[in-house]
Each structure stands twice: as structure tokens, then as C-alpha cells.
């Protein structure tokens, strides 16, 4: 047999391998990652991430909810000139299929969508795959949330162990009698690995407040939150999905503890962390951390001036979250939970995008036909 006949896929140059991997569907890609450390490392390469984004149109998942108890998933696809394509046939009426009053979207990873339902002493996590119409309900965790104690969630993927994990942050309020009853929070993590069938408490804790509503940002095998210490200083706290340890580092410039409410939110600007700051009444800005964990690498990436000439006073005084950065540099934002808007930093364009009535949250979504039945310890249901 000739030398040419014995060549394998791994003998191909890296640029060719990257292009091949970028065209694979998510289910195949997950399997390929388990075959070799070289292939796993290639899927973490920045060039692969760039190619994989360009090989398929961006899809946004919308979780719509409002006062008449609408509870619906919608899927929006970007088409020519970044207009939205919405097929109502693909909508999922959660209220029809699930015997709960209200879901709260935690996040979406590789086509799996994580929801939290809590009411009174019930605190449940649902993992759905809208493509296969399957779902699982995780076992109830210990330490029931009860005011003034607070619970936050995150959903992510460990690229080293190839595991999906739900992280539950239990925040216990502590009052200090020595300082006239001032309060702070002791936060601990519980982890559920999909397919294992149980929650585990992690060693260690952090003295941070994780807030009441915002869920974690999944990036680099870690879940991130904007948090506050006992002195009300803002920090970024991460939870490493591989070693299951907390880390923290300084937030973006511009934080002022005297401003209340604090209208800053954490997001992902491509493969970088970002902070959206809407505290000023003259402008809205986005800070991007160009080098992960490096304080000096924060750059003011976007500034939208708020002026009478631009007729954009509607930007003011509400929380704004970054949803996705598109291939041409245009950025999609969510204003409170009311509407989306697009901004192009170079062209300096700003346009509101009306996708549905009522209140909603939005997240990036990638369709995935991997069955939840592959996670052996879970009871899979159909909707």
C-alpha cells in the first residue's frame, strides 16, 4: 500500500480541517470532539468559531410572556440584509404542553434550552430540545429558595469533559449585628451534570450578591455574572465548569455605586465579555474585554449618543442587554423585555425591530437533533 493511501483526516492541513469541522451539524461535532484532543482543540480555535458562525444564519430564540399568560417560544432567523424570517409553524406553545404557570429562560447551549420554574417551595429546572420535541425535568435541589435568600442559575458546556451542566447559585442573606444590621450575601454553588441524575454541592463559597433576575453568561467553559461585594463594588464572578471553582476579576470602567438602579448588564461580544452601561442620560455605551481576565484590556467599543436630533430618548433609563454581534458588525440588543433594536457602530445606524407583542427575552440558538435519550440517567418526555 502506498504512503498516499494511508493518509488520514488528521494529516490534512489545519486550515482545511477547520473548514470541514465548521460545516458539521452540532450533533456530529459533539461526537467528533470525543475522538481526539487535536480535534477538540481545533473546535476551540478562534478561526473555527469565525467559520462556524459564517456557515449558517444566526438564529435567535424568543421566549414570549405577558399578562394574559402567553408562554411561547419563537425562532427568528437572519436572512438577506439581516432582516428576520419567522415561521409561526415552528413556534412552541409552552403553556399548552407544560403544567406550570411561568417559565424563566436560563439559557441555550447547542440547541438545548434551559428553563427555570419556581413558585412557593417548588424550584424546578427543565431542559428542552425544541428540534426533537423532548424534555427532561431535573430532580429538585436542596435548600429551597425563600425570601430574603435568592437563587440564580446558569447553563453551560464543559469543553474539556464534554458535559452539560446547570449551576445553581444559592444566596443566603446575612445581617451583621455589629454594623447596625447591614446585610451581605454568602453565595454557594450546586451543580447538576446532565446525565448524572443528581445535584452536588461544591466546596467553597463567595461573599457576593448575584442579583435577582439576570442569569449567567456562558463563555470559555465558564459561566459569568455581574456581582457586588459587601461594599457594593461591582465585579465579574465566573464559575469554572471543569474544576467547579469560583473566580473573580474587575468589571468594566464607569461603575458608580451611588447610582441606583444600576443599569449595567453583562453579555458576550463575539468571544469577548462585554458590559452594557445605560446609566447616563446622554449616551449608551458598551465596554468589551479584549483579553479575557485582563483588566487593562477593557475598550469602549460602542457609544450611542442620545440627542433630540436623533430622536432616540427611548434608549434612556432602562436595562439593555446585548443579544448577538452579526457578521457585518451590526449588534442586536434587547431593551428591557419590550423590544429588540439593531445598531451598526461603523454606519452609526439605529433601528427598532418589532418581532412580537408583550414581554420577552432573547438568546442565541443553534438547532440540534441530538436526543436527550443519550443522557442515560434522565427520564425523557415528549411534548
Amino acid at each position: 500500500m502506498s504512503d498516499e493511501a494511508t493518509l488520514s483526516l488528521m494529516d490534512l492541513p489545519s486550515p482545511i480541517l477547520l473548514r470541514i469541522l465548521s460545516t458539521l451539524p452540532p450533533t456530529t461535532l459533539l461526537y467528533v470532539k470525543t475522538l481526539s484532543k487535536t480535534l477538540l482543540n481545533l473546535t476551540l480555535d478562534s478561526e473555527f468559531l469565525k467559520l462556524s458562525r459564517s456557515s449558517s444564519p444566526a438564529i435567535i430564540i424568543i421566549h414570549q410572556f405577558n399578562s394574559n399568560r402567553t408562554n411561547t417560544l419563537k425562532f427568528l432567523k437572519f436572512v438577506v440584509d439581516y432582516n428576520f424570517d419567522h415561521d409561526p409553524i415552528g413556534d412552541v406553545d409552552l403553556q399548552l404542553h407544560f403544567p406550570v404557570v411561568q417559565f424563566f429562560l436560563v439559557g441555550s447551549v447547542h440547541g438545548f434550552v434551559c428553563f427555570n420554574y419556581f413558585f412557593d417551595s417548588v424550584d424546578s429546572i427543565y431542559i428542552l430540545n425544541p428540534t426533537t420535541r423532548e424534555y427532561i425535568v431535573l430532580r429538585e435541589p436542596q435548600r429551597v429558595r425563600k425570601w430574603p435568600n435568592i437563587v440564580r442559575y446558569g447553563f453551560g458546556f464543559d469543553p474539556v469533559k464534554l458535559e452539560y451542566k446547570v449551576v445553581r447559585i444559592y444566596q443566603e442573606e446575612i445581617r451583621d449585628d455589629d454594623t447596625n444590621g447591614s446585610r451581605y450575601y454568602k453565595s454557594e454553588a450546586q451543580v447538576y451534570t446532565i446525565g448524572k441524575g443528581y445535584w452536588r454541592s461544591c466546596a467553597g463559597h463567595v461573599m457576593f450578591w448575584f442579583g435577582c433576575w439576570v442569569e449567567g453568561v456562558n463563555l470559555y467553559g465558564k459561566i459569568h455574572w455581574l456581582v457586588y461585594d459587601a461594599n457594593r463594588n461591582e465585579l465579574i464572578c465566573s464559575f469554572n465548569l471543569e474544576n467547579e471553582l469560583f473566580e473573580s476579576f474587575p468589571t468594566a470602567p464607569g461603575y458608580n455605586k451611588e447610582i441606583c438602579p444600576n443599569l449595567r448588564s453583562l453579555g458576550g461580544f463575539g468571544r469577548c465579555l462585554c458590559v452594557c452601561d445605560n446609566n447616563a442620560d446622554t449616551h449608551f455605551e458598551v465596554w468589551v474585554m479584549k483579553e479575557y481576565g485582563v483588566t487593562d484590556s477593557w475598550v469602549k467599543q460602542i457609544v450611542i449618543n442620545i440627542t433630540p436630533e436623533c430622536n432616540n430618548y427611548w434608549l434612556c433609563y432602562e436595562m439593555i442587554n446585548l443579544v448577538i454581534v452579526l457578521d457585518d458588525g451590526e449588534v442586536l440588543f434587547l431593551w428591557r423585555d419590550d423590544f429588540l433594536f439593531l445598531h451598526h457602530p461603523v454606519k452609526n445606524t439605529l433601528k427598532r425591530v418589532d418581532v412580537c407583542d408583550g414581554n420577552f427575552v432573547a438568546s442565541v440558538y443553534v438547532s440540534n437533533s441530538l436526543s436527550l435519550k443519550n443522557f442515560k440517567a434522565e427520564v425523557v418526555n415528549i411534548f
Side-chain angles (χ1 to χ4, degrees), residues 147-207:
W147 185 260
N149 301 332
I150 303 171
V151 170
R152 289 268 52 85
Y153 282 99
F155 180 48
F157 179 71
D158 176 2
V160 177
K161 297 180 180 177
L162 305 176
E163 294 176 332
Y164 295 91
K165 295 182 178 181
V166 178
V167 179
R168 183 178 192 255
I169 306 295
Y170 184 86
Q171 305 174 80
E172 180 181 4
E173 184 186 79
I174 298 174
R175 291 195 175 270
D176 191 345
D177 295 333
D178 295 332
T179 55
N180 297 321
S182 63
R183 64 180 184 176
Y184 57 95
Y185 285 87
K186 175 182 177 182
S187 298
E188 301 176 349
Q190 298 167 286
V191 176
Y192 189 107
T193 301
I194 308 301
K196 296 293 179 67
Y198 56 87
W199 290 92
R200 292 177 292 102
S201 294
C202 298
H205 62 269
V206 288
M207 306 306 289

Side-chain angles (χ1 to χ4, degrees), residues 249-250 288-298:
F249 46 86
V288 176
M289 182 176 252
K290 294 293 186 177
E291 296 182 50
Y292 181 79
V294 179
T295 304
D296 293 338
S297 70
W298 284 108

Side-chain angles (χ1 to χ4, degrees), residues 72-297:
T72 307
L73 288 184
K74 298 177 181 290
F75 301 90
L76 307 178
K77 184 182 296 185
F78 287 95
V79 290
V80 179
D81 295 328
Y82 296 103
N83 291 313
F84 285 103
D85 179 27
H86 170 230
D87 184 359
I89 296 178
D91 291 355
V92 178
D93 186 345
L94 298 174
Q95 187 177 354
L96 177 65
H97 299 287
F98 298 96
V100 298
V101 176
Q102 183 66 70
F103 271 147
F104 296 92
L105 180 65
V106 174
S108 173
V109 180
H110 299 160
F112 299 126
V113 185
C114 180
F115 286 99
N116 175 223
Y117 166 71
F118 71 92
F119 180 76
D120 197 14
S121 62
V122 178
D123 190 358
S124 300
I125 288 289
Y126 289 69
I127 306 292
L128 282 65
N129 186 334
T131 301
T132 63
R133 308 287 290 193
E134 297 171 330
Y135 74 95
I136 58 177
V137 185
L138 307 192
R139 292 185 178 182
E140 291 278 335
Q142 295 180 344
R143 307 200 74 178
V144 175
R145 75 168 81 192
K146 185 177 181 181
W147 185 260
N149 301 332
I150 303 171
V151 170
R152 289 268 52 85
Y153 282 99
F155 180 48
F157 179 71
D158 176 2
V160 177
K161 297 180 180 177
L162 305 176
E163 294 176 332
Y164 295 91
K165 295 182 178 181
V166 178
V167 179
R168 183 178 192 255
I169 306 295
Y170 184 86
Q171 305 174 80
E172 180 181 4
E173 184 186 79
I174 298 174
R175 291 195 175 270
D176 191 345
D177 295 333
D178 295 332
T179 55
N180 297 321
S182 63
R183 64 180 184 176
Y184 57 95
Y185 285 87
K186 175 182 177 182
S187 298
E188 301 176 349
Q190 298 167 286
V191 176
Y192 189 107
T193 301
I194 308 301
K196 296 293 179 67
Y198 56 87
W199 290 92
R200 292 177 292 102
S201 294
C202 298
H205 62 269
V206 288
M207 306 306 289
F208 296 145
W209 180 58
F210 283 70
C212 296
W213 302 110
V214 179
E215 307 299 353
V217 176
N218 184 26
L219 194 65
Y220 294 118
K222 302 176 182 180
I223 302 177
H224 306 77
W225 297 265
L226 276 185
V227 298
Y228 306 91
D229 64 17
N231 296 318
R232 294 185 0 196
N233 297 309
E234 184 181 82
L235 300 163
I236 293 176
C237 180
S238 70
F239 184 83
N240 189 311
L241 292 170
E242 180 191 2
N243 60 28
E244 299 183 353
L245 296 175
F246 286 109
E247 301 168 332
S248 64
F249 46 86
T251 184
Y255 172 69
N256 183 347
K257 67 174 69 176
E258 302 304 321
I259 295 178
C260 185
N262 178 32
L263 300 176
R264 283 162 61 100
S265 65
L266 188 67
F269 195 96
R271 295 297 294 171
C272 298
L273 287 173
C274 71
V275 171
C276 299
D277 190 331
N278 202 26
N279 281 324
D281 57 6
T282 57
H283 64 277
F284 163 70
E285 61 190 27
V286 179
W287 290 84
V288 176
M289 182 176 252
K290 294 293 186 177
E291 296 182 50
Y292 181 79
V294 179
T295 304
D296 293 338
S297 70

Side-chain angles (χ1 to χ4, degrees), residues 61-78:
I61 185 172
I62 298 289
H63 178 215
Q64 181 187 15
F65 56 92
N66 55 32
S67 57
N68 65 5
R69 300 195 184 283
T70 298
N71 202 4
T72 307
L73 288 184
K74 298 177 181 290
F75 301 90
L76 307 178
K77 184 182 296 185
F78 287 95

